[in-house]
Amino acid sequence: MTENQTWVTEFILLGFPLSPKMQMLLCGLFSLFYIITLLGNGVILGLIWLDSKLHTPMYFFLSHLAIIDISYASNNVPKMLANLLNKKKTISFAPCIMQTFLYMAFAHTECLILVMMSYDRYVAICHPLQYSIIMSCRVCTILAVTSWACGSFLALVHVVLILRLPFCGPHEINHFFCEILSVLKLACADTWLNKVVIFAASMFILVGPLCLVLVSYSRILLAILRIQAGEGHRKAFSTCSSHLCVVGLFFGSAIVMYMAPKSHHPEEQQKVLSLFYSLFNPMLNPLIYSLRNAEVKGALQRVLWKHRSR
């Protein structure tokens, strides 16, 4: 690089190229979705904290999932809402890189937490007599800490590789937040190593966990089919169906985003899928667990009954 080379100190987030009226409408709609996300996941956390019947490994991991969803949405959505209202849609270099790091860290951690939840269901259904021993408090804590540590470490690797690149212009990010692939397009150097690491990390954090989840649930399905009692069938399906819905939403959108053939408008498609990750998925998760899980509905009724009886 030459000595008189100018360096980018801030980026412009192009967001969604829509009319001002449509942007105001989307701002109101997305604000409502964001509030539902915070309230829904907050209720899940509150129920798990208040109801002793939910102090189990399954809901221990579910509480981590709720924390991830709140953090995930709060990392991207407030800036997106501000940009929908303001004409100036800039973000400084350091906050942009921090947003990229947090986005990757929460995404990686959610993949691993979903694997831990599937393993918990596998042990509960396939090895019920050893469940309390295998999924002890110590083991659950180690699994959760490992998930957060691995997710954060992989995100840190991506950020370190980004920081080694020069950014000397252009400075327009064709996205509503600092998504890693959109940021890399602005680098003034070869990003081959970054893309190789992203591909390798995707195989490790997406394909690997998905395979483990599929193996766990194939074993669970076989175990359920061997259950004779109808009540046993119902309870087994009740505890697993909500988790399968969440897994399907998360990994399904990830597969479409990273493995499906590119469309004629890949960048616009990427924005929509990132919006699903950032807003819709965190909003739907607590609704799925509250509507499809009898234990969560029962806990909500008990908490409301206690509140009314005071």
Side-chain angles (χ1 to χ4, degrees):
M1 308 297 295
T2 59
E3 291 185 2
N4 61 352
Q5 180 69 61
T6 58
W7 296 86
V8 172
T9 58
E10 65 178 17
F11 298 109
I12 297 176
L13 296 170
L14 297 181
F16 302 99
L18 302 170
S19 64
K21 289 185 178 180
M22 184 59 69
Q23 289 190 5
M24 289 291 293
L25 177 63
L26 285 181
C27 182
L29 187 62
F30 292 162
S31 296
L32 177 62
F33 289 166
Y34 182 52
I35 292 172
I36 294 173
T37 298
L38 297 181
L39 290 177
N41 286 286
V43 168
I44 292 290
L45 284 173
L47 290 176
I48 294 173
W49 176 266
L50 294 172
D51 196 297
S52 59
K53 291 186 177 181
L54 299 185
H55 294 174
T56 63
M58 175 182 174
Y59 294 100
F60 171 77
F61 291 117
L62 178 57
S63 66
H64 283 269
L65 184 64
I67 292 171
I68 291 171
D69 285 339
I70 291 174
S71 304
Y72 203 66
S74 298
N75 181 53
N76 299 337
V77 176
K79 182 62 177 177
M80 178 185 69
L81 296 177
N83 287 343
L84 287 172
L85 294 175
N86 300 329
K87 291 184 178 180
K88 186 179 180 182
K89 304 181 179 184
T90 59
I91 183 171
S92 300
F93 183 82
C96 182
I97 296 301
M98 179 57 69
Q99 191 180 57
T100 302
F101 168 76
L102 293 175
Y103 167 78
M104 301 297 292
F106 294 138
H108 293 159
T109 304
E110 182 163 355
C111 286
L112 298 175
I113 288 293
L114 289 174
V115 174
M116 303 309 172
M117 294 176 72
S118 66
Y119 176 69
D120 170 74
R121 292 300 83 206
Y122 162 74
V123 176
I125 294 175
C126 298
H127 302 284
L129 298 179
Q130 292 86 28
Y131 179 70
S132 60
I133 299 174
I134 297 175
M135 299 302 295
S136 64
C137 181
R138 179 174 177 272
V139 170
C140 291
T141 302
I142 291 173
L143 292 176
V145 170
T146 301
S147 298
W148 282 95
C150 288
S152 300
F153 175 75
L154 286 174
L156 183 62
V157 170
H158 290 305
V159 168
V160 169
L161 291 176
I162 290 175
L163 291 175
R164 56 180 276 277
L165 298 172
F167 290 89
C168 50
H171 61 288
E172 293 182 341
I173 298 176
N174 190 13
H175 216 291
F176 61 86
F177 76 104
C178 293
E179 196 270 335
I180 185 169
L181 294 178
S182 299
V183 173
L184 287 178
K185 291 178 181 179
L186 306 184
C188 302
D190 187 14
T191 59
W192 176 85
L193 178 60
N194 299 74
K195 293 178 181 178
V196 169
V197 173
I198 290 172
F199 177 79
S202 298
M203 293 294 292
F204 171 74
I205 210 70
L206 179 61
V207 178
L210 180 58
C211 291
L212 291 174
V213 170
L214 292 177
V215 169
S216 295
Y217 274 97
S218 63
R219 298 290 297 274
I220 289 172
L221 179 60
L222 292 175
I224 290 175
L225 293 176
R226 289 196 294 266
I227 298 175
Q228 298 297 325
E231 181 65 19
H233 275 285
R234 188 200 63 78
K235 187 174 181 180
F237 277 115
S238 175
T239 56
C240 295
S241 59
S242 55
H243 182 234
L244 276 175
C245 288
V246 172
V247 168
L249 284 171
F250 186 84
F251 285 102
S253 55
I255 289 172
V256 170
M257 184 171 182
Y258 293 106
M259 298 182 180
K262 297 293 183 181
S263 67
H264 294 294
H265 305 284
E267 290 183 341
E268 298 306 314
Q269 180 191 58
Q270 191 178 47
K271 290 180 189 178
V272 174
L273 289 171
S274 296
L275 188 63
F276 190 89
Y277 269 106
S278 303
L279 189 57
F280 297 143
N281 212 19
M283 180 184 69
L284 291 174
N285 284 352
L287 295 177
I288 291 171
Y289 276 104
S290 61
L291 294 176
R292 297 187 60 86
N293 194 302
E295 292 179 337
V296 173
K297 288 188 286 187
L300 180 59
Q301 291 173 355
R302 287 190 294 272
V303 170
L304 292 177
W305 180 258
K306 288 181 181 179
H307 179 73
R308 289 177 181 177
S309 61
R310 289 179 179 178

